[in-house]
Amino acid sequence: MRMLVWMGLACAATATAAPFEWTAYGGDGHGQRHAPLAQITPGNVAQLEAAWTFRTGELGDGFARGHDALTFEATPLMVGGTLYFNTATGKVFALDAASGAQRWQFDAKVPREHDYSEMATRGVSYWRDAQADPHGACAQRILFATIDARLIALDAANGARCSAFGKDGEVDLSRGVRLSERRVGQYSVTSPAAIAGDVAIVGSSIGDNGGTDLELGVVRAFDLRNGRELWHWDPIPRAAKVPADAANPDFGEVDAQQAHWTGAANAWAPLAVDAERGLVFIPTGSASPDFFGGVRPGETKWANSVVALKAATGEFVWGRQLVHHDLWDYDVASQPMLIDLERDGRTIPALVQLHKTGQVFVLNRETGEPLFPIEERAVPQDAVPGEVPSPTQPFSSIPPLVSHAPVTPDDAWGLTFWDRGRCREQIAALHSEGIYTPPATSGSIERPGYAGGSNWGSGAFDPQRKLLVANVMDIPFVVALIPRAELDQQYDSGKYADWEFASQRGTPYGMRRTLLKSPLGAPCTAPPWGRLVAVDLAKGTIAWTKPLGTSRDRAPWPFWDTEGAPNMGGPLTTAGGLTFIGATSDNFLRAFDTASGKEVWTMRLPAGAQATPMSYEIGGRQFIVICAGGHAKMGTTRGDYVIAFALPRAS
């Protein structure tokens, strides 16, 4: 009888339990990208089928850079049975989460004529006004930012503008950041705002390497009811001298020229929020320009750092710089991940920060102190005249997820004997001392490249298995500094058609960079170029590593089976013991057994899935959703798809 009563109570609890929702970019403010749903398991994942497909119709038509820059990197939210997401073209969509039917659409009318540095956006934010009539207008809001630097608030029920927010529902983010007319389109917002109580906190995306005097990388906070700016924080102090104090003992004095001119150090990756402690965590990028720092001497704090601020006031709490005096475009590009770490019978509030260098830093999120040791090690110093590299860089005691070794002619790889020989010649002519090799006028090899290691897709944390799962790239790039007098000649010579050039105004050098690749277009080092790696955060060790993706869709047929592809996007873990990920340059969504790393399911997609999947439950059914629209800069198949997968209803 007692057992029957217990079973009845258990069934009642299951029947009335609220369905799981995905309420922020990383699932919630902690950014773990984990769904506590177990309906889909390694045992039944093979039965997954497409439950519905939605097409946005947004392929960049009419945009000046729509066909060579557009991406579809969004991770949708699911709140109250509705799916919300946006596109880089400025449209927001609301869909029925069970059927995929459109409920409403909003168009921000983003100007199409500008040369935007990024045609990307990763999602929207959700906020419920606890003081409002729950059935009133704008009681629940969708907040999103645009590539033309506007922050817009919409009524989640119908997509109407929330007119009380800013001016007619929007705030102009281009003011007060030193944006000039020649730089229109170079200051954007590509990651969703972080929501902390009634405050929205936003960073920015700034076009790299134009010069020293780029836009200011300020982080700003806005009142979610009226759009009023509450505070702003600049990673680079603007006073000529900032005294050290007890709270910031190594802030030190700041060079007056640097304080006045240096721009960027902007937070373009997603932020994280610890609501209980009232903290927001800011991952910052490189100070301008990325590849020459002679006019910004010193460590350039708080660029290339993870910083904790009080969410209500913007007050600095702590910071940890992960790259000193950056010369490699080694932004902190991944969302900080907030987890609870069990150690010696204690639960420690931790922050996990993945990095472009392939390193994993684990810090106490209340103090910033390392929970796995960080060691300062000597790094190469042979830089161009006028440059003074930092003598040391921080290295985590957790093994790096990609190689830090020099690239030598013996490392040359190719699809054929001929192109392997061309790679060997290229490598022999370039400078490589391993990670943190300073850029040279003759050309230096940067490994890992400035795309990562880890990038904006971040990682996922399975709290049951204590595993951090991350996708990484291991592809060397070539960077060359160009004496100012030679910049135009090299650009016009036609010898560097596949290279990206940048002027780096205000310095003695321009810059060019490209993938270290063979004449056939394949990387010059051996695959795998992309991996999925699991880190045991109880021990600080690598649990497993697997090649991720194949060369299909990027290589001719005889070479389809090369394992380990370039990737851009991120993973999702679930309580069912699965890790889902798209990201790769082949058009597949995959599932891996989180415990072992075994690939247990693949699904062919109509376009590249350079986004991070999410999961939710509605009507007793677990869904996995991925945006598949391709990535112009990666050259993956273009599309406009949002696809939901679920088990067949009968099962």
Side-chain angles (χ1 to χ4, degrees):
M1 181 67 175
R2 199 173 293 169
M3 179 64 74
L4 291 174
V5 171
W6 182 88
M7 289 177 63
L9 290 173
C11 291
T14 301
T16 59
F20 174 72
E21 299 181 325
W22 193 274
T23 58
Y25 172 74
D28 59 15
H30 286 199
Q32 293 184 11
R33 273 162 289 280
H34 178 78
L37 300 173
Q39 188 179 95
I40 304 169
T41 69
N44 63 23
V45 67
Q47 300 176 45
L48 277 185
E49 61 182 18
W52 54 258
T53 298
F54 178 82
R55 301 192 67 174
T56 68
E58 294 299 293
L59 295 170
D61 294 341
F63 281 84
R65 295 195 63 200
H67 293 286
D68 68 352
L70 183 66
T71 70
F72 192 15
E73 298 176 356
T75 297
L77 308 186
M78 198 288 275
V79 184
T82 301
L83 214 63
Y84 302 97
F85 63 93
N86 61 342
T87 64
T89 57
K91 289 189 176 180
V92 179
F93 295 85
L95 310 181
D96 181 287
S99 68
Q102 181 173 303
R103 288 183 166 165
W104 55 257
Q105 179 190 142
F106 173 85
D107 188 352
K109 306 292 185 185
V110 171
R112 299 178 177 234
E113 67 273 14
H114 299 313
D115 182 17
Y116 296 105
S117 62
E118 294 290 337
M119 288 280 292
T121 188
R122 298 177 189 99
V124 301
S125 305
Y126 167 83
W127 176 69
R128 183 178 66 85
D129 187 349
Q131 299 178 13
D133 176 351
H135 303 293
C138 289
Q140 298 182 74
R141 301 185 183 191
I142 295 298
L143 194 75
F144 76 105
T146 61
I147 59 173
D148 64 335
R150 289 178 287 154
L151 186 64
I152 300 175
L154 305 177
D155 189 328
N158 54 30
R161 287 175 178 264
C162 296
S163 58
F165 183 85
K167 184 179 180 181
D168 191 26
E170 66 179 60
V171 172
D172 183 357
L173 297 176
S174 67
R175 296 186 178 185
V177 296
R178 202 168 66 185
L179 179 64
S180 66
E181 285 191 17
R182 74 170 186 269
R183 294 274 300 172
V184 171
Q186 301 298 296
Y187 184 90
S188 302
V189 180
T190 54
S191 291
I195 306 299
D198 298 336
V199 178
I201 304 161
V202 293
S204 61
S205 173
I206 296 175
D208 291 344
N209 297 312
T212 57
D213 57 341
L214 300 190
E215 295 77 20
L216 307 181
V218 292
V219 175
R220 288 176 282 184
F222 297 90
D223 187 307
L224 274 158
R225 292 187 177 87
N226 56 33
R228 179 173 62 89
E229 183 176 319
L230 300 175
W231 55 260
H232 67 268
W233 175 78
D234 193 333
I236 299 175
R238 298 296 151 188
K241 292 187 178 181
V242 176
D245 59 36
N248 309 312
D250 49 2
F251 214 62
E253 294 186 351
V254 180
D255 180 85
Q257 181 185 20
Q258 171 190 323
H260 181 67
W261 287 112
T262 302
N266 49 300
W268 60 265
L271 316 181
V273 172
D274 184 335
E276 180 184 355
R277 293 170 175 80
L279 298 177
V280 59
F281 299 94
I282 315 293
T284 65
S286 310
S288 61
D290 292 349
F291 294 96
F292 180 79
V295 295
R296 47 172 173 84
E299 293 183 340
T300 325
K301 287 185 175 175
W302 290 101
N304 306 95
S305 302
V306 59
V307 174
L309 306 178
K310 290 186 177 179
T313 64
E315 179 184 346
F316 182 94
V317 178
W318 60 259
R320 173 70 59 172
Q321 190 169 60
L322 304 181
V323 176
H324 308 317
H325 190 72
D326 185 20
L327 305 176
W328 307 272
D329 193 7
Y330 279 159
D331 299 332
V332 184
S334 300
Q335 182 181 26
M337 186 182 304
L338 312 184
I339 71 168
D340 290 330
L341 191 65
E342 304 296 331
R343 181 175 289 179
D344 300 326
R346 295 184 301 134
T347 300
I348 303 173
L351 179 149
V352 178
Q353 186 62 68
L354 292 162
H355 196 261
K356 281 187 177 182
T357 58
Q359 298 197 76
V360 182
F361 297 94
V362 184
L363 311 173
N364 185 311
R365 68 175 180 264
E366 293 181 329
T367 66
E369 290 303 307
L371 296 175
F372 289 93
I374 297 174
E375 177 188 14
E376 290 285 336
R377 298 180 193 166
V379 293
Q381 295 293 296
D382 46 348
V384 295
E387 183 62 85
V388 182
S390 173
T392 65
Q393 293 290 350
F395 286 82
S396 173
S397 61
I398 297 174
L401 310 187
V402 297
S403 175
H404 288 173
V407 179
T408 72
D410 290 340
D411 296 318
W413 183 90
L415 295 171
T416 67
F417 178 81
W418 171 77
D419 69 321
R420 183 164 61 252
R422 303 292 77 75
C423 282
R424 187 178 297 111
E425 293 170 1
Q426 284 189 68
I427 293 169
L430 296 167
H431 183 209
S432 177
E433 298 180 69
I435 193 170
Y436 298 120
T437 299
T441 54
S442 59
S444 60
I445 297 175
E446 183 179 325
R447 182 184 193 181
Y450 46 83
S454 292
N455 210 298
W456 56 263
S458 310
F461 178 67
D462 185 325
Q464 297 158 273
R465 296 162 184 85
K466 309 300 181 189
L467 290 178
L468 165 70
V469 182
N471 56 301
V472 294
M473 284 196 290
D474 189 359
I475 308 177
F477 282 70
V478 181
V479 176
L481 295 178
I482 310 168
R484 179 71 49 201
E486 301 174 21
L487 180 59
D488 289 345
Q489 183 272 326
Q490 287 197 23
Y491 182 79
D492 295 335
S493 69
K495 294 170 57 178
Y496 306 102
D498 293 335
W499 294 66
E500 176 189 353
F501 278 75
S503 62
Q504 300 193 143
R505 291 184 315 276
T507 78
Y509 302 94
M511 180 275 295
R512 53 181 165 84
R513 61 184 183 178
T514 192
L515 172 70
L516 178 61
K517 61 183 183 296
S518 78
L520 297 180
C524 273
T525 53
W529 305 304
R531 298 183 183 90
L532 192 64
V533 185
V535 180
D536 184 331
L537 286 181
K539 302 174 182 176
T541 58
I542 304 297
W544 52 259
T545 179
K546 302 289 183 180
L548 178 61
T550 69
S551 54
R552 180 172 175 170
D553 298 315
R554 297 292 293 151
W557 169 72
F559 306 105
W560 275 8
D561 60 351
T562 302
E563 291 190 314
N567 58 83
M568 194 65 67
L572 159 75
T573 59
T574 71
L578 292 168
T579 296
F580 290 91
I581 187 166
T584 58
S585 57
D586 60 0
N587 300 335
F588 287 93
L589 179 65
R590 293 176 166 86
F592 294 80
D593 184 306
T594 302
S596 67
K598 180 182 178 181
E599 187 173 317
V600 292
W601 177 77
T602 58
M603 176 61 71
R604 182 75 168 160
L605 300 175
Q610 279 68 59
T612 300
M614 50 84 74
S615 185
Y616 57 90
E617 180 188 354
I618 190 169
R621 200 177 186 200
Q622 181 184 355
F623 289 83
I624 306 293
V625 173
I626 185 73
C627 292
H631 194 288
K633 292 182 180 180
M634 286 186 68
T636 55
T637 305
R638 302 290 294 281
D640 60 346
Y641 300 87
V642 182
I643 308 174
F645 296 93
L647 296 174
R649 290 187 183 277
S651 65

